[in-house]
Amino acid sequence: MATDQQNRQAKSRHDYQPPAFLIPTIDLHFELDSAATIVSSVMQLRRQTAGAALKLDGQHLKLLQVLIDNKQLSDAQYDLSGESLTIPDVPDAFELKIVTQIAPVENTALEGLYMAGNSYCTQCEAEGFRRISYFLDRPDVLSEYRVTIKAAAASYPYLLSNGNKIAEHITADGSRIVQWHDPFPKPCYLFALVAGDYDLLEDNFITASGREVALQLFVDKGQAHRGDFALQALKRAMRWDEQRFNLEYDLDIYMVVATDFFNMGAMENKGLNVFNSKYVLAETATATDRDYFNIESIIGHEYFHNWTGNRVTCQDWFQLSLKEGLTVFRDQEFSADMGSATLCRIDAVKLIRTAQFAEDASPMAHPIRPESVLEMNNFYTVTVYDKGAEVIRMLQTILGKEGFAQGMALYLKRHDGQAATCDDFIRAMQDANRYDLSQFALWYSQSGTTQLTASQQYDAATQVLTLTLGQSTAATADQSVKKALLIPVRIELLLSGNEKQSHLLLLTEYDQVFSFNNISNEPVVVWLEHFSAPVKLQQQSSDDALLHIAAFATDGVARWDAIQQFWSRKVAEVIAGKNAQHVLPPKLFQMMQSWLRDPGDDKALIAELLSLPDFETLAEQYEQIPVDGILSALEQFRQIIADRLQSDFVSCYQQVPVSAYQYDEASVGNRRLRALCLGYIAFQHNSQQLLQAHYHQADNMSDTIAALMASQQAQTDTFKALLADFSQRWNSDVLVMDKAFGLAATQPSEQVFTSIEEMQSHPLFSWKNPNRVRALFSAFSMRNPRQFHSADGKGYQLLQYAVAKMDAINPQVAARLITPLLSWRRYDESRQQAMRNVLQVLADSSSLSNDVFEKVSRSLS
Ligand code: ARG
Ligand code: ZN
């Protein structure tokens, strides 16, 4: 590592101390100015710890004044070293006034108060409030906020903050002054301020108890027609939380602001959500089915945080999964109820099997409740969020839907208005159900992916079926010893004559045997039905049994899973040199053919059943990832399927009904299956016309993208022409151009390097906008395995260039970009060398952010 003057001190979960002072009220006053905003903060403080000095967090602040009980402090009375303001000698209860100056226009990190184009916007989670004013910037200090905002009235018609608006007026000199009051005490990470000129969409919602809530959605000028879907989704989410968990909204107004400058998806600030515009704005011509799905689920997610996150928040940031895992679980349940539950689950499983398993196997491995953190922003991870959601889902599987709901009710009743811990949550679930969850709680402290082994034995004479389960978890970068977890394993027994049985097995030991009597014939066992636990399954079942499950299991997820396992096995055989001819059983083709000929009602599921696993899923099944082997086996199998079922793909494509665009389950399924067929058809030489027709006849973005992707993956000449047309047509629409950037960056050919170069000089590309950078570079590094892992190391160098450039602008985004490089140890010798070289170049740079430093140093150590 380069010499390092900064103090980089990781924090440990076990070092938690309650705050030395509380701040029950805060009165904030903003005079907005892009280069010199003045922030006055008047707080009431109360001592909790005798003798302690007051130490407030602050970053990039210019301190103008400090007053205690209206008396200004001299420089000698406080200390401003490091990133804090320390006042050694303060009374037990007092008023503290602090005046600071900040420069939003210089804030390219997009944390704290920053400019989003001409608007002002904030992002305070996790530790952004300290860039606004000196404060106890930690989630267990809850305050009642009053906020006054002043800005030029003409340019800033809307000055927003949390809670209820209590006053608004325009001064003689043309300033607008607006005052807000949020009656619910909250940690500062939930504070928000927005100022700008927007199009406003309004609606209202009547809660179950009959209160009227005003709904307001603020979008960039000219975008109003793209806001309606999000607003309707919000109402569906509000109703759903009432019906499923008995939870009502609590303020009289709920505001959502969409901005194109945002580090993440969205933020649940109390009463004033801020969203990445990509997760709000949608119309048929610009948004895919996937976009609509994401909008509904993220609108739901942020709304559900109002209870799980805001009313009950986190004691410290190590507890992040308390609100995030739980809220992801809630949004998944919501999405499942709004559309295809099977497809939702398949998407969630894919994410765990790719990014989460990869994280567990990486130098950044951590439990869903991390133990040690240098930069908190690095822990907004698939482990905390999505494995966290799986842990909650397992609780529901074990306790039942009803028991789980009772646990939730007790948790919220006990901790409303508090900053709680994961242990508090477990305790509430345990108490409400009188169920001992002490072993289950290990899921919070243990990292890594557990391997589950499963086998069966049948004794025809006694009619006893014996199932044997085993678990083991390999050491991870952060933890060497692993205990046995409580793992809920749902199974289905497929007996002859269409007889089926369902069971829930609770595995608590390393090895355990389960016996079933009166089983009249040897069944095919569906293991881990519906992915009942986030583990890797090793099963003995034959190829035949897997295909049988794919055809007959009750659960659509299990059917998809079986065929995925089947393909993984085929790919592994080819890589091991055991099937050089890529031979596949006739039964497979018969089954695929029957699906194509008679897809039935669930066409989206059929499309999934006909898909090969993606590279990332397969990669996670190997300790050393055979990049070229996986890619080439996939390519071969894809071509074989495309050739063998050519006419079936064409006739299915023609038979699936096409109607004017609507976003509903059936139409989504139709489009998905047609796109799947098109994807295979594209591998035939004579497919150009069909691809062009699909593109030109599309009345919606899903079909447009389907044509582009099919022609891109099959490396047809058509692709270049279609992408040029697409980029031309949408060259002034940022959100759609992001799709063009993504398509350019995921071309499987070497052409990708030139295209990425060209796209960087596109008028809409900007290094200061995370959406643009992610569209180009995350797409390349995470969804273009062939070129990212290009044997000459060019892909790695390109990513290093992007990370270095981005780290100086926006460390949080830079640290996310770097992820695929961290696992360099899992590749072959020459790739290892090439990846390590670029990591070393980054490590040697003198000015790394904590964000990137934490990851690079863990990876190289
Ligand atoms: N709480 C937000 C959400 O889950 C995400 C905030 C991310 N913040 C961050 N600093 N990484 O919806
Ligand atoms: Zn969240």
Side-chain angles (χ1 to χ4, degrees):
M1 286 291 137
T3 44
D4 206 18
Q5 287 95 2
Q6 299 173 56
N7 65 335
R8 307 203 197 244
Q9 190 93 88
K11 283 191 190 162
S12 275
R13 180 169 75 86
H14 292 287
D15 293 341
Y16 174 80
Q17 295 287 337
F21 292 85
L22 295 182
I23 310 179
T25 68
I26 175 168
D27 208 324
L28 278 168
H29 196 288
F30 289 83
E31 277 188 48
L32 295 179
D33 182 287
S34 64
T37 289
I38 304 294
V39 185
S40 315
S41 166
V42 177
M43 299 157 274
Q44 304 301 322
L45 275 86
R46 264 206 326 261
R47 178 185 294 281
Q48 298 292 105
T49 308
L54 175 65
K55 189 173 175 190
L56 303 171
D57 309 293
Q59 275 176 6
H60 308 290
L61 301 173
K62 182 169 169 192
L63 180 63
L64 301 182
Q65 256 190 350
V66 195
L67 296 89
I68 285 185
D69 291 330
N70 283 318
K71 279 193 26 207
Q72 188 156 341
L73 300 195
S74 68
D75 293 1
Q77 287 173 291
Y78 59 83
D79 176 54
L80 259 189
S81 52
E83 299 193 312
S84 47
L85 164 64
T86 307
I87 313 176
D89 194 15
V90 295
D92 288 346
F94 59 102
E95 181 183 282
L96 177 64
K97 178 173 178 180
I98 293 178
V99 185
T100 48
Q101 182 181 317
I102 50 181
V105 73
E106 283 163 25
N107 183 353
T108 57
L110 313 188
E111 278 187 274
L113 178 66
Y114 62 91
M115 301 305 298
N118 295 322
S119 306
Y120 292 83
C121 191
T122 56
Q123 171 57 34
C124 293
E125 187 178 6
E127 297 175 331
F129 192 82
R130 62 187 63 188
R131 293 166 181 247
I132 293 174
S133 185
Y134 287 99
F135 199 70
L136 291 175
D137 188 356
R138 43 188 291 167
D140 57 355
V141 171
L142 278 64
S143 320
E144 187 182 334
Y145 280 69
R146 275 167 212 281
V147 177
T148 306
I149 311 168
K150 181 177 173 191
S155 321
Y156 298 97
Y158 298 108
L159 303 178
L160 312 176
S161 191
N162 318 81
N164 303 310
K165 194 199 281 188
I166 50 177
E168 166 155 16
H169 70 281
I170 296 185
T171 62
D173 66 345
S175 294
R176 181 186 310 277
I177 298 182
V178 180
Q179 258 184 303
W180 294 84
H181 171 233
D182 181 358
F184 293 96
K186 63 171 176 289
C188 63
Y189 82 85
L190 289 172
F191 164 79
L193 178 156
V194 170
D197 192 3
Y198 295 98
D199 275 349
L200 171 60
L201 286 86
E202 292 189 274
D203 205 334
N204 62 64
F205 179 82
I206 311 290
T207 69
S209 68
R211 277 186 318 105
E212 184 176 328
V213 180
L215 309 179
Q216 299 189 326
L217 174 63
F218 299 85
V219 299
D220 280 345
K221 282 277 177 196
Q223 301 287 321
H225 62 294
R226 293 181 176 172
D228 193 57
F229 180 78
L231 207 47
Q232 298 310 316
L234 174 60
K235 294 204 281 185
R236 290 192 288 274
M238 295 176 88
R239 192 62 75 211
W240 183 87
D241 216 12
E242 294 181 343
Q243 290 169 349
R244 173 71 178 269
F245 289 111
N246 230 327
L247 296 172
E248 248 185 74
Y249 186 61
D250 49 13
L251 284 162
D252 296 333
I253 180 168
Y254 193 90
M255 295 172 282
V256 173
V257 179
T259 174
D260 192 39
F261 287 79
F262 206 66
N263 282 346
M264 310 281 293
M267 180 64 212
E268 70 266 23
N269 317 299
K270 183 78 185 189
L272 177 56
N273 290 179
V274 176
F275 270 66
N276 188 325
S277 50
K278 160 186 170 130
Y279 297 122
V280 172
L281 302 176
E283 63 178 316
T284 305
T286 62
T288 60
D289 293 332
R290 160 83 41 197
D291 291 327
Y292 281 102
F293 177 87
N294 288 340
I295 290 168
E296 185 170 66
S297 90
I298 297 177
I299 285 277
H301 181 95
E302 306 312 329
Y303 175 71
F304 302 141
H305 267 316
N306 190 55
W307 277 98
T308 50
N310 301 3
R311 289 289 288 260
V312 181
T313 189
C314 300
Q315 173 195 272
D316 55 73
W317 287 121
F318 297 101
Q319 317 294 330
L320 181 61
S321 201
L322 174 69
K323 73 178 179 81
E324 295 302 349
L326 178 54
T327 305
V328 170
F329 170 74
R330 277 152 55 66
D331 83 51
Q332 288 176 349
E333 291 287 272
F334 167 60
S335 295
D337 284 352
M338 294 300 112
S340 161
T342 305
L343 266 283
C344 286
R345 190 68 191 132
I346 288 177
D347 279 356
V349 176
K350 283 183 186 169
L351 185 62
I352 294 290
R353 286 198 175 141
T354 54
Q356 204 284 319
F357 285 179
E359 189 159 75
D360 266 342
S362 84
M364 283 296 290
H366 54 275
I368 64 167
R369 182 184 54 202
E371 297 291 348
S372 166
V373 167
L374 173 62
E375 171 51 62
M376 189 54 211
N377 286 330
N378 283 340
F379 289 84
Y380 287 74
T381 60
V382 279
T383 299
V384 167
Y385 274 62
D386 299 279
K387 186 179 178 184
E390 292 300 320
V391 170
I392 302 292
R393 181 174 298 279
M394 287 190 285
L395 269 178
Q396 180 173 264
T397 302
I398 294 167
L399 302 174
K401 231 170 156 169
E402 192 45 45
F404 180 81
Q406 281 167 15
M408 273 283 284
L410 182 60
Y411 164 68
L412 294 173
K413 182 168 155 231
R414 272 188 190 166
H415 300 289
D416 190 11
Q418 297 175 5
T421 63
C422 297
D423 288 337
D424 290 331
F425 182 80
I426 291 287
R427 211 170 295 126
M429 284 288 156
Q430 176 161 306
D431 294 351
N433 291 277
R434 297 165 209 258
Y435 191 105
D436 180 0
L437 290 169
S438 42
Q439 186 183 15
F440 184 83
L442 285 172
W443 282 102
Y444 282 85
S445 54
Q446 193 158 293
S447 58
T449 306
T450 297
Q451 287 267 1
L452 194 69
T453 53
S455 60
Q456 67 185 90
Q457 254 194 341
Y458 179 67
D459 185 339
T462 56
Q463 301 211 327
V464 174
L465 173 72
T466 309
L467 302 182
T468 308
L469 284 172
Q471 60 169 306
S472 71
T473 309
T476 46
D478 61 323
Q479 213 173 45
S480 50
V481 181
K482 306 287 180 181
K483 298 182 181 144
L485 297 163
L486 167 53
I487 304 178
V489 181
R490 269 171 57 170
I491 59 164
E492 182 173 49
L493 307 180
L494 304 176
L495 294 131
S496 64
N498 243 332
E499 196 196 325
K500 295 174 178 178
Q501 284 187 18
S502 293
H503 299 277
L504 176 64
L505 313 181
L506 296 180
L507 175 64
T508 54
E509 311 290 326
Y510 286 111
D511 294 289
Q512 214 168 325
V513 172
F514 301 83
S515 297
F516 299 86
N517 296 323
N518 301 320
I519 304 291
S520 57
N521 53 73
E522 166 133 43
V524 170
V525 183
V526 179
W527 298 100
L528 212 65
E529 187 191 30
H530 217 63
F531 199 58
S532 64
V535 299
K536 288 185 182 172
L537 172 66
Q538 263 178 352
Q539 54 184 342
Q540 251 79 69
S541 328
S542 63
D543 287 359
D544 255 13
L546 289 176
L547 295 182
H548 185 84
I549 295 171
F552 298 111
T554 308
D555 175 32
V557 181
R559 294 176 62 194
W560 164 80
D561 196 15
I563 201 132
Q564 291 266 308
Q565 306 259 358
F566 170 84
W567 283 118
S568 308
R569 197 178 280 183
K570 294 298 124 189
V571 169
E573 286 167 5
V574 170
I575 290 174
K578 288 186 206 145
N579 185 0
Q581 301 305 309
H582 301 84
V583 179
L584 293 166
K587 210 173 164 173
L588 170 73
F589 292 109
Q590 284 156 19
M591 194 163 71
M592 292 177 114
Q593 203 161 46
S594 72
W595 288 332
L596 285 164
R597 290 180 183 176
D598 181 16
D601 288 337
D602 201 347
K603 297 198 177 53
L605 175 59
I606 296 298
E608 290 295 335
L609 292 174
L610 290 163
S611 303
L612 289 167
D614 48 30
F615 172 85
E616 293 74 16
T617 300
L618 294 171
E620 287 320 307
Q621 306 182 355
Y622 299 85
E623 245 172 86
Q624 293 284 318
I625 301 171
V627 175
D628 305 302
I630 297 176
L631 287 170
S632 112
L634 278 177
E635 248 165 49
Q636 297 286 336
F637 284 131
R638 193 170 52 189
Q639 190 67 50
I640 290 170
I641 300 171
D643 291 344
R644 186 82 172 253
L645 299 175
Q646 185 176 355
S647 58
D648 292 291
F649 284 124
V650 173
S651 51
C652 179
Y653 178 87
Q654 287 162 346
Q655 271 163 34
V656 174
V658 183
S659 44
Y661 186 84
Q662 271 200 47
Y663 180 70
D664 60 46
E665 203 180 327
S667 332
V668 170
N670 288 343
R671 280 187 291 275
R672 208 144 156 169
L673 184 53
R674 256 167 52 97
L676 180 280
C677 293
L678 189 66
Y680 281 110
I681 296 169
F683 286 91
Q684 304 303 331
H685 297 296
N686 55 3
S687 63
Q688 312 298 316
Q689 256 188 342
L690 187 66
L691 288 165
Q692 282 161 9
H694 195 93
Y695 176 84
H696 289 293
Q697 284 161 17
D699 74 341
N700 65 81
M701 186 54 82
S702 292
D703 283 332
T704 305
I705 292 289
L708 283 157
M709 298 233 305
S711 59
Q712 181 215 48
Q713 287 303 306
Q715 308 202 30
T716 66
D717 300 333
T718 319
F719 176 64
K720 214 175 158 182
L722 293 187
L723 182 60
D725 180 85
F726 184 77
S727 308
Q728 184 55 38
R729 181 151 158 226
W730 296 104
N731 67 9
S732 55
D733 192 302
V734 280
L735 286 184
V736 184
M737 271 313 290
D738 282 348
K739 299 184 195 299
F741 293 146
L743 284 158
T746 48
Q747 296 171 83
S749 74
E750 231 193 320
Q751 168 67 30
V752 68
F753 293 100
T754 321
S755 297
I756 290 181
E757 185 77 40
E758 285 166 11
M759 287 303 198
Q760 284 174 63
S761 40
H762 192 281
L764 291 189
F765 184 82
S766 160
W767 288 95
K768 292 196 175 159
N769 185 302
N771 281 351
R772 301 302 93 76
V773 174
R774 282 187 288 248
L776 204 52
F777 291 100
S778 302
F780 172 69
S781 64
M782 303 193 184
R783 289 191 288 116
N784 192 347
R786 171 159 308 284
Q787 296 305 329
F788 176 64
H789 294 294
S790 157
D792 56 10
K794 237 158 89 182
Y796 307 143
Q797 284 157 19
L798 178 60
L799 191 62
Q800 174 223 314
Y801 157 79
V803 170
K805 182 142 182 145
M806 206 52 193
D807 196 37
I809 297 170
N810 186 328
Q812 198 175 325
V813 173
R816 276 179 186 258
L817 275 182
I818 204 174
T819 307
L821 287 172
L822 305 179
S823 300
W824 58 275
R825 285 190 174 85
R826 295 183 63 198
Y827 295 89
D828 57 69
E829 207 38 69
S830 88
R831 287 188 172 99
Q832 279 197 22
Q833 191 59 45
M835 292 172 109
R836 202 172 44 184
N837 285 347
V838 301
L839 281 167
Q840 195 58 53
V841 173
L842 288 168
D844 290 341
S845 116
S846 56
S847 53
L848 276 196
S849 66
N850 274 346
D851 307 59
V852 173
F853 173 88
E854 181 172 38
K855 292 192 169 182
V856 171
S857 58
R858 283 207 199 193
S859 175
L860 288 176
S861 72

